[in-house]
DNA sequence: GTCCAGGGTCCCA
DNA sequence: TGGGACCCTGGA
């Protein structure tokens, strides 16, 4: 098995990035991780500044490179943030976190599932969703499952979906899929609309409020200024910013600042 | 076994 | 604008 080797130039750590609550479909394997996104899957191993990827060079360059946001200059962004002492501390700890660019629909459904839920259970439900309604993908002899298509999820009734134990979120999943299938919500629109309008569109989906909308905008639609505020971020603002933070101070990269703070709050204390 | 809380949102007063 | 309900389970 041959691996494509990509030369990193700093500010990236595979494990930190995967483990920063943005994506839930990765699995420990042979000193690295199998990562599944949509219908794709690959095995990744990081050795220092070398990122090894089991997929072809073409696929790496056309998909995974942007998936891990590797062409963005994080060194410059860190420099921009360094005026803020709290952020400085967060960045030192979360030095290798990047904001991933994930599949829009997969990200939408995943973060609908995430609400009022803990990370181990989110992983479990998302994986169950894929195993039950996705298709098999072979990666290095391991069987993985693709994320279900819009059509499949939109045409499910809540009875069938109950096997994944998503609880009251099942109806939200179906509503989200239906609104995407009908064209009421389109990825193109969410990407191209300005931040406020894009957020308002997403919130038309039942079960999508401010937090989930911001996550989808940030991780699945390229709105890098989106700043999701969850319990950890709230805690961070309370404890480290005395309860007040104007997120505009990190403009236009609020989402990246948020991700550093999130990782620091969850893992660094 | 018991209890609390989890990368929230909706509904109703 | 605030507070309770909500499915279920991981972790203490």
């Amino acid at each position: 098995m041959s691996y494509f080797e990509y030369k990193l130039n700093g500010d990236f750590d595979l494990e930190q990035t995967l483990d920063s609550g943005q994506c839930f479909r990765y699995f420990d394997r042979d000193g690295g991780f199998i990562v599944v996104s949509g219908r794709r899957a690959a095995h990744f191993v990081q050795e220092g500044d070398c990122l090894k990827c089991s997929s072809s060079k073409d696929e790496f360059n056309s998909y995974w490179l942007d998936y891990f946001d590797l062409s963005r200059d994080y060194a410059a962004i860190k420099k921009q943030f360094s005026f803020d002492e709290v952020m400085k501390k967060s960045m030192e700890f979360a030095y290798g976190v990047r904001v991933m660019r994930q599949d829009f629909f997969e990200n939408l459904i995943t973060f609908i599932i995430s609400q009022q839920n803990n990370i181990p259970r989110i992983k479990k439900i998302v994986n169950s969703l894929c195993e039950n309604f996705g298709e098999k993908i072979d990666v290095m002899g391991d069987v993985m499952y693709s994320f279900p298509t819009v059509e499949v999820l939109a045409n499910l009734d809540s009875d069938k979906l109950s096997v994944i134990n998503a609880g009251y979120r099942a109806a939200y999943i179906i509503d989200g899929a239906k609104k995407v299938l009908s064209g009421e919500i389109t990825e193109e629109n969410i990407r191209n609309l300005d931040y406020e309008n894009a957020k308002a569109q997403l919130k038309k989906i039942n079960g999508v409020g401010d937090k989930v909308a911001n996550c989808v905008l940030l991780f699945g639609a390229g709105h890098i200024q989106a700043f999701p505020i969850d319990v950890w971020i709230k805690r961070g603002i309370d404890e480290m910013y005395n309860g007040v933070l104007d997120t505009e101070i990190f403009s236009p990269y609020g989402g990246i600042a948020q991700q550093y703070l999130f990782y620091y709050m969850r893992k660094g204390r």
Side-chain angles (χ1 to χ4, degrees):
Chain A
M1 188 70 198
S2 70
Y3 279 73
F4 171 66
E5 299 189 1
Y6 178 79
K7 174 89 164 55
L8 297 158
N9 58 359
D11 307 300
F12 177 73
D13 184 88
L14 179 63
E15 183 168 3
Q16 278 193 348
T17 297
L18 290 173
D19 200 24
S20 63
Q22 312 177 53
C23 84
F24 302 92
R25 304 251 292 140
Y26 59 95
F27 307 85
D28 279 30
R29 204 68 97 239
D30 302 327
F33 300 90
I34 290 177
V35 180
V36 189
S37 172
R39 286 175 289 101
R40 300 165 199 272
H43 183 227
F44 293 89
V45 181
Q46 181 174 10
E47 289 169 2
D49 63 355
C50 177
L51 181 62
K52 297 182 176 180
C53 172
S54 68
S55 68
S56 68
K57 177 181 179 178
D58 281 354
E59 181 170 307
F60 182 86
N61 283 324
S62 65
Y63 190 77
W64 298 108
L65 186 74
D66 279 339
Y67 182 77
F68 289 116
D69 205 21
L70 291 171
S71 41
R72 197 191 294 276
D73 184 357
Y74 275 66
I77 294 166
K78 284 178 174 178
K79 202 170 167 192
Q80 182 196 320
F81 289 171
S82 64
F83 70 92
D84 183 284
E85 289 304 318
V86 172
M87 192 48 54
K88 225 167 153 179
K89 201 161 29 161
S90 301
M91 291 189 297
E92 267 166 35
F93 183 77
Y95 61 92
V97 171
R98 292 203 178 212
V99 171
M100 297 159 69
R101 302 192 208 178
Q102 302 176 56
D103 177 79
F104 170 75
F105 179 66
E106 175 170 353
N107 202 246
L108 170 65
I109 300 300
T110 299
F111 276 91
I112 284 175
I113 290 169
S114 79
Q115 64 179 78
Q116 191 60 18
N117 218 337
N118 55 44
I119 291 179
R121 188 174 171 226
I122 298 167
K123 281 182 182 158
K124 202 168 151 187
I125 295 174
V126 175
N127 285 324
S128 172
L129 182 71
C130 297
E131 283 165 20
N132 280 284
F133 305 106
E135 286 168 16
K136 287 185 180 175
I137 322 173
D138 179 81
V139 199
M140 325 266 303
D142 274 300
V143 178
M144 297 283 145
Y145 292 86
S146 66
F147 198 84
T149 62
V150 180
E151 288 79 7
V152 167
L153 291 187
N155 291 311
L156 236 41
D157 53 52
S158 47
D159 258 14
K160 285 227 176 85
L161 198 49
S162 65
V163 296
I164 68 172
N165 281 331
Y168 63 84
R169 302 167 195 82
Y172 299 162
I173 294 172
I174 294 170
D175 186 56
K178 280 192 195 302
K179 286 196 165 75
V180 172
L181 184 64
S182 72
E184 188 178 343
I185 306 286
T186 70
E187 173 174 0
E188 202 191 349
N189 251 276
I190 301 299
R191 281 190 183 279
N192 295 135
L193 250 33
D194 64 81
Y195 168 74
E196 288 297 341
N197 283 112
K199 187 164 71 174
Q201 281 284 312
L202 283 172
K203 285 172 71 174
K204 287 183 182 170
I205 298 168
N206 211 358
V208 176
D210 263 312
K211 159 63 172 61
V212 171
N214 274 126
C215 284
V216 177
L217 290 171
L218 180 58
F219 304 131
H223 287 267
I224 200 70
Q225 74 271 45
F227 197 104
I229 296 179
D230 71 310
V231 292
W232 294 99
I233 295 293
K234 231 175 265 163
R235 219 168 274 166
I237 293 174
D238 284 346
E239 291 176 17
M240 299 197 291
Y241 288 101
N242 296 318
V244 189
L245 173 63
D246 176 10
T247 61
E248 287 299 311
I249 63 175
F250 304 116
S251 181
Y253 300 112
I256 295 176
Q258 181 275 163
Q259 206 57 20
Y260 284 137
L261 184 60
F262 177 79
Y263 191 84
Y264 178 65
M265 288 305 296
R266 237 189 116 237
K267 300 267 183 179
R269 297 150 56 89

